Amino acid sequence: MRMKLALLALLICAGSALAAPAPVPAPAQKAARVALAGRVSSEAGGAMEGVVVRAKGVGKTIAVAVVTDHEGRYSFPANRLAPGKFNIDIRAVGYDLEKPVSVEVAKGATRRADLKLVKTKDIISQLTSSEWLLSVPGTERQKNQLFRCAACHSLQPIVQSTYDEQGWLTTFARMRSYSEQAVLEHPVLLPYKVAVQPDPEFAKYLATINLSAASKWNYELKTLPRPTGRATRVIVTEYDLPDSGRLPHDADLDDKGMVWYNDFREPLIGRLDPRTGETKEWRMPPLQPGFPEGTLSIEFNRDGFLWIPRFRQGGYTRFDPRTEKFQTWLVPPEWNTSHAIQPQVAAAPDGTAWFPGGENLLIFKVDPLTGRIVTYPMYPDFHPDEKSSGIIQFSYSDTPTGHSTYGLAADSKSNVYICDIVGGNIGKIDGKTGKVTLYKTPTLNSGPRRVSVDSEDRVWFGEYYANKLGMFDPKTERFQEWTAPTPWLGPYPAKTDKNGDAWTSGMGADMVDRLDPRTGNFTEYLLPTVNANIRHIDVDNSRSPVAVWVAEVHQGKIAKIEPLD
Ligand code: HEC
């Protein structure tokens, strides 16, 4: 300590001896702490801030990305790039690298690579759904409805199509026949037939924004601004999964720092070791052959078991990572119809697990110790002969009617909170009696989706349709809502970290948003991959600053976002 003080005094003396204040010299070994650095510029824009620069080891499954600062500089810390050959690519909407770049990173040295960008010739493949929604003409209402098409794929095939009104009416019926797991390359049908109400008004509208009447769009393509300031101080690490066709829906951290994922297409769960990028996967036995097999979510319970609601397979499966064994409970037979759907689970601290029941709008409480399943009606005003309108709403209404149950989560007293995405409510279920109380979000038709409960038992959720992050405090029965800066981000999950910041992300814009609820300030971190399609978030509070994990559902990757402050 005394030595350090003496050294400091010496440095101050040396500084004051100079005529002009000199920059503090960097310690000699600092250069070697940076593996790769450079400046990014374009002829059109000079030095460019907010360019995501990604380095991927040749033949490797891990990619690391950093973002340029206000002088266009980027740098990769040496502990993130082991010596070897890397391919470099960038994300900056409207631009491409002038030519392909690969670099050799050597041990103990800093490799410099300045990057030249040129205007892209293929802006279409760079645009997010959020940017298409900004670009297309239309009323707020029309765009709200179009946003609902962005669940299974981006809006690109829609604006590039040539359907006229009649063509759209047929196409709507086809889209409505797909299960939520469907993606462009892998259509999955619902296990039942859907009667589709024709929507000629929306069909007419879509025929005005696609290429049915002209070979080029008659509107300007708008792009989102690149990240600036704090949003550039971040490192993003992306991990490929064993099959590029994986649709990892959730990524959940366990207490050993392993990341677990489920797959929206295949009945499997996987474990990623972030230190090595190695993965191991386990397949679950089918429960309903012929029905869609993928699952939507996973959640650890208090005892380290992983719950896997089986989505359209009619059951609840639990995995024990210690014995690597699955155990399954079936949805009670009277409710185990083709309309049964278990998207999520709330693993309560009392050991029970709660699952929504599908279109009959029930909720099931499973006690794994006794095997007992208790069934509660979710909505007192719901008549059993009605059907819920499903979890994806194709049509848009300013005054939503009906209900659904999307995400749910338990508080410290084993009460459960649910998101009614259709009705715009947060519901509280008393853990003992099953009594339900509904609270309407201040924004009508907010589309609350996935929910989490913080250490003070406050309830956080994404307001998907309203582009807001929401918080409900059961003690005061008050809501608070914050609008995300980027339009059509589509906030989906929400989770707080140990510092009280709230995190969200969405399917529309490849961004991970950080909100300071005390100031209302958002920081939006841009991912390196276009159309990542994010639906879930987990926070690693074991480090400072915290890190967050997301699954890039449509890109078959898991990503870690590490803010540098
Ligand atoms: C439940 C998932 C899902 C939703 C929601 C969805 N689609 Fe699709 N869409 C698909 C799948 C799967 C494909 C690929 C298979 C196919 O073309 O049928 C597709 C393909 C397309 C295509 C390209 C193929 C073609 O016919 O040109 C268009 C256009 C399209 N969808 C329009 C829409 C519109 C408009 C909406 C909103 C009204 C929508 N989709 C909502 C699943 C969905």
Side-chain angles (χ1 to χ4, degrees):
M1 186 66 189
R2 195 168 295 162
M3 283 266 294
K4 265 198 193 142
L5 275 178
L7 204 69
L8 195 69
L10 203 75
L11 277 173
I12 292 168
C13 287
S16 58
L18 295 170
V24 179
Q29 71 273 31
K30 183 130 188 210
R33 291 213 199 114
V34 172
L36 170 65
R39 219 165 150 264
V40 179
S41 61
S42 74
E43 232 157 69
M48 292 173 72
E49 183 179 19
V51 178
V52 184
V53 180
R54 175 168 58 185
K56 187 167 190 190
V58 174
K60 298 285 182 350
T61 58
I62 303 178
V64 182
V66 295
V67 186
T68 57
D69 67 11
H70 65 286
E71 289 173 335
R73 288 174 312 204
Y74 74 89
S75 78
F76 287 87
N79 61 3
R80 301 311 176 100
L81 300 184
K85 194 169 179 193
F86 290 84
N87 290 328
I88 307 296
D89 66 5
I90 59 106
R91 179 173 193 177
V93 67
Y95 294 90
D96 286 321
L97 279 173
E98 187 182 39
K99 54 180 192 293
V101 176
S102 60
V103 297
E104 193 77 39
V105 169
K107 195 167 189 296
T110 301
R111 176 78 162 81
R112 266 203 79 83
D114 291 339
L115 305 174
K116 254 258 140 20
L117 307 193
V118 291
K119 289 261 181 222
T120 183
K121 295 189 179 68
D122 180 21
I123 185 86
I124 304 308
S125 66
Q126 299 186 348
L127 294 181
T128 59
S129 291
S130 167
E131 284 159 325
W132 280 113
L133 281 155
L134 280 171
S135 304
V136 295
T139 63
E140 198 66 7
R141 196 172 194 288
Q142 286 165 327
K143 293 191 186 196
N144 277 333
Q145 188 164 356
L146 179 55
F147 179 59
R148 294 177 185 218
C149 299
C152 303
H153 50 72
S154 83
L155 298 182
Q156 188 183 328
I158 299 175
V159 286
Q160 284 187 310
S161 70
T162 53
Y163 294 124
D164 59 9
E165 182 186 339
Q166 196 49 47
W168 276 124
L169 289 175
T170 331
T171 307
F172 292 164
R174 196 168 83 247
M175 297 305 133
R176 196 68 187 87
S177 70
Y178 292 129
S179 177
E180 296 79 356
Q181 290 123 317
V183 289
L184 287 179
E185 310 74 34
H186 189 79
V188 178
L189 288 173
L190 284 167
Y192 51 84
K193 286 257 171 302
V194 181
V196 180
Q197 291 287 334
D199 189 345
E201 225 177 277
F202 189 48
K204 222 177 269 163
Y205 166 64
L206 290 191
T208 66
I209 61 165
N210 71 357
L211 300 176
S212 58
S215 60
K216 272 173 72 184
W217 297 288
N218 60 3
Y219 45 88
E220 188 198 336
L221 299 183
K222 299 199 178 112
T223 56
L224 289 168
R226 289 194 302 274
T228 56
R230 192 184 191 195
T232 66
R233 295 193 287 279
V234 65
I235 299 178
V236 180
T237 310
E238 290 182 315
Y239 299 86
D240 294 346
L241 295 181
D243 182 327
S244 61
R246 285 273 175 277
L247 293 174
H249 198 287
D250 281 15
D252 262 24
L253 264 181
D254 71 12
D255 53 7
K256 299 179 190 69
M258 294 290 196
V259 181
W260 294 76
Y261 58 91
N262 61 316
D263 193 273
F264 213 14
R265 178 189 311 171
E266 307 264 354
L268 61 81
I269 53 163
R271 186 188 64 197
L272 165 76
D273 183 343
R275 286 162 286 258
T276 61
E278 271 167 33
T279 55
K280 181 169 180 185
E281 295 184 336
W282 295 264
R283 267 180 187 272
M284 291 176 281
L287 306 176
Q288 296 261 37
F291 279 41
E293 293 185 320
T295 62
L296 192 142
S297 71
I298 47 175
E299 187 174 324
F300 280 103
N301 79 353
R302 57 158 200 208
D303 302 318
F305 289 98
L306 190 66
W307 276 110
I308 311 142
R310 293 297 291 274
F311 202 50
R312 293 197 179 276
Q313 286 276 307
Y316 330 103
T317 296
R318 203 180 70 169
F319 181 71
D320 186 345
R322 292 147 291 215
T323 60
E324 304 190 10
K325 292 234 157 51
F326 291 106
Q327 194 180 354
T328 294
W329 292 261
L330 294 178
V331 170
E334 64 272 37
W335 306 113
N336 205 349
T337 65
S338 57
H339 289 260
I341 182 171
Q342 284 76 52
Q344 293 97 7
V345 56
D350 66 6
T352 60
W354 296 69
F355 300 86
E359 296 194 2
N360 44 51
L361 293 175
L362 297 166
I363 188 123
F364 302 108
K365 176 181 172 181
V366 179
D367 185 344
L369 275 183
T370 60
R372 197 160 158 251
I373 302 180
V374 187
T375 306
Y376 299 108
M378 250 319 295
Y379 299 98
D381 60 344
F382 179 76
H383 301 291
D385 51 336
E386 292 173 37
K387 281 268 175 271
S388 139
S389 23
I391 57 174
I392 292 185
Q393 284 248 287
F394 281 83
S395 55
Y396 176 82
S397 147
D398 294 317
T399 49
T401 52
H403 298 295
S404 67
T405 306
Y406 206 71
L408 65 168
D411 71 8
S412 65
K413 300 183 184 65
S414 294
N415 300 308
V416 173
Y417 292 87
I418 62 106
C419 288
D420 172 9
I421 182 174
V422 172
N425 295 294
I426 296 299
K428 177 181 178 180
I429 310 168
D430 184 295
K432 298 229 161 44
T433 63
K435 182 172 173 288
V436 180
T437 315
L438 292 183
Y439 300 89
K440 210 154 216 28
T441 57
T443 303
L444 205 66
N445 212 355
S446 54
R449 276 203 102 140
R450 286 190 73 176
V451 67
S452 70
V453 177
D454 71 13
S455 55
E456 294 166 45
D457 279 347
R458 292 176 307 175
V459 182
W460 298 81
F461 46 93
E463 294 189 350
Y464 185 67
Y465 297 146
N467 211 46
K468 293 178 184 175
L469 201 153
M471 189 272 282
F472 174 68
D473 187 344
K475 287 189 205 85
T476 57
E477 302 194 347
R478 284 242 173 87
F479 283 94
Q480 246 182 298
E481 295 175 322
W482 296 266
T483 301
T486 292
W488 314 108
L489 172 77
Y492 196 121
K495 198 159 194 176
T496 56
D497 66 24
K498 64 179 175 189
N499 306 313
D501 285 349
W503 295 81
T504 188
S505 190
M507 303 205 274
D510 310 326
M511 281 175 190
V512 171
D513 278 34
R514 176 190 202 173
L515 164 74
D516 181 343
R518 293 149 293 231
T519 60
N521 287 340
F522 277 90
T523 307
E524 301 193 295
Y525 301 102
L526 182 64
L527 293 176
T529 302
V530 179
N531 287 323
N533 193 293
I534 298 160
R535 311 177 183 202
H536 181 255
I537 213 154
D538 204 4
V539 178
D540 182 355
N541 276 318
S542 71
R543 39 191 303 150
S544 289
V546 301
V548 305
W549 288 86
V550 296
E552 299 182 358
V553 184
H554 283 174
Q555 299 297 335
K557 297 179 199 188
I558 307 277
K560 176 169 64 163
I561 293 92
E562 291 171 90
L564 300 178
D565 57 13

